[in-house]
Amino acid sequence: MDSAAVEAKGYQPIKADLDRLNNMNSTTDVLREITNLRITGSGGALFGMGVGPDRKNVIKYIPNIGQGGTTLPDRDYYLKDDTRSTTIRNAYKNYLQKMFALVGENATTAAASAASVLKIETTLANAQMTRIQMRNPNATYNKFAVKDLTATTPNMNWAMILNDSKIVGADSVVVGNPAFLKTANDMLTSVPVQDWKSYLRWNLIK
C-alpha cells in the first residue's frame, strides 16, 4: 500500500459524498441517504436491516428490521452514569470532534457536530431493548405487512425504503423492536435536518 499517497489525499475521496449529505433539506432526503449509505456499504444508520429466513416459516426469506443506529457496543455505554461509562462517553465525544476536524470542520463546528451525533445516538440507545430483553424470541418477532408498518411509522415509507434498498417483492417484514421504530419515526420530524447531516456524515466517516 502506498501509505504516503493515502495520507496526501486526506478525506478527498469521500468529499463529494460528504458534500451531498450536507445538501439534504428534507426528511425524505434523510431516509434516501440512510438507504444509500447502507447499499453502498458505507454505514448502517438509524436502524438495522437485512434479509434472512422467516423464523416461523424457515422455507421463506423475509426482510428483518431491527434496532440500531449507534456506534458504541451497547446501549448501556450511552445510558449508565458510572465512572467507566462517563469516561468512555467523554473519550467518544473527543474522538468525534477530532474526526470531524479531519474532514475540514473548524473547532466550533466539529464540537457542534459531535454533540449532534451523541444526542441522536443516545436517543436511539434509550429506545433499544436490553440484551436480556433481546433473548426473548417472541418479543423480537413482530410481523407486519409493509403498508401496516408504514401506517405505524408514517414518517418512514417502507415501500420506498425497501425499493431503494434493492429489496423487491416483499409484502411483509419482521420487526425486532416496534417501539424502537416508533422512536426513530418521531425523531425524523423532531430532530433538525442539520443534526441529521452531522449524524449521516459521521456514519460515512467512520
Side-chain angles (χ1 to χ4, degrees):
M1 178 187 293
D2 188 346
S3 58
V6 171
E7 289 293 332
K9 288 182 178 180
Y11 73 95
Q12 292 304 309
I14 62 169
K15 185 177 185 304
D17 295 310
L18 291 170
D19 290 343
R20 190 188 69 252
L21 293 173
N22 230 17
N23 287 328
M24 296 187 301
N25 54 37
S26 70
T27 298
T28 299
D29 289 344
V30 172
L31 283 173
R32 288 198 181 276
E33 289 297 349
I34 286 172
T35 301
N36 184 60
L37 289 174
R38 195 180 306 278
I39 65 174
T40 57
S42 302
L46 193 58
F47 54 86
M49 187 166 70
V51 177
D54 185 332
R55 279 182 279 156
K56 294 190 177 181
N57 185 10
V58 294
I59 63 172
K60 292 187 177 181
Y61 279 74
I62 192 168
N64 290 270
I65 301 165
Q67 61 189 34
T70 48
T71 300
L72 297 177
D74 184 81
R75 70 190 297 273
D76 289 348
Y77 284 79
Y78 296 89
L79 306 179
K80 284 188 174 181
D81 288 326
D82 59 278
T83 301
R84 179 176 180 272
S85 299
T86 301
T87 300
I88 290 171
R89 280 197 302 274
N90 288 336
Y92 179 44
K93 186 174 182 179
N94 290 334
Y95 175 66
L96 285 166
Q97 292 176 334
K98 290 178 181 178
M99 295 300 288
F100 279 115
L102 286 174
V103 295
E105 295 189 4
N106 62 40
T108 301
T109 305
S113 295
S116 294
V117 171
L118 197 52
K119 183 177 180 181
I120 288 173
E121 292 192 350
T122 301
T123 303
L124 293 172
N126 200 51
Q128 292 175 357
M129 288 180 170
T130 66
R131 292 188 182 189
I132 292 174
Q133 290 172 323
M134 288 189 292
R135 293 175 188 168
N136 183 339
N138 292 317
T140 57
Y141 186 95
N142 304 277
K143 196 169 186 178
F144 287 82
V146 172
K147 61 181 179 60
D148 291 339
L149 183 58
T150 298
T152 302
T153 56
N155 296 321
M156 307 173 84
N157 183 333
W158 287 101
M160 181 190 81
I161 294 169
L162 291 170
N163 183 69
D164 288 353
S165 301
K166 314 300 182 187
I167 300 173
V168 296
D171 59 4
S172 300
V173 298
V174 171
V175 177
N177 182 354
F180 174 86
L181 285 189
K182 289 181 180 179
T183 295
N185 173 79
D186 294 343
M187 289 173 68
L188 284 167
T189 51
S190 65
V191 175
V193 172
Q194 187 62 40
D195 289 351
W196 287 117
K197 291 178 182 181
S198 297
Y199 174 70
L200 294 188
R201 282 162 61 88
W202 168 238
N203 273 263
L204 176 64
I205 293 166
K206 70 178 180 182

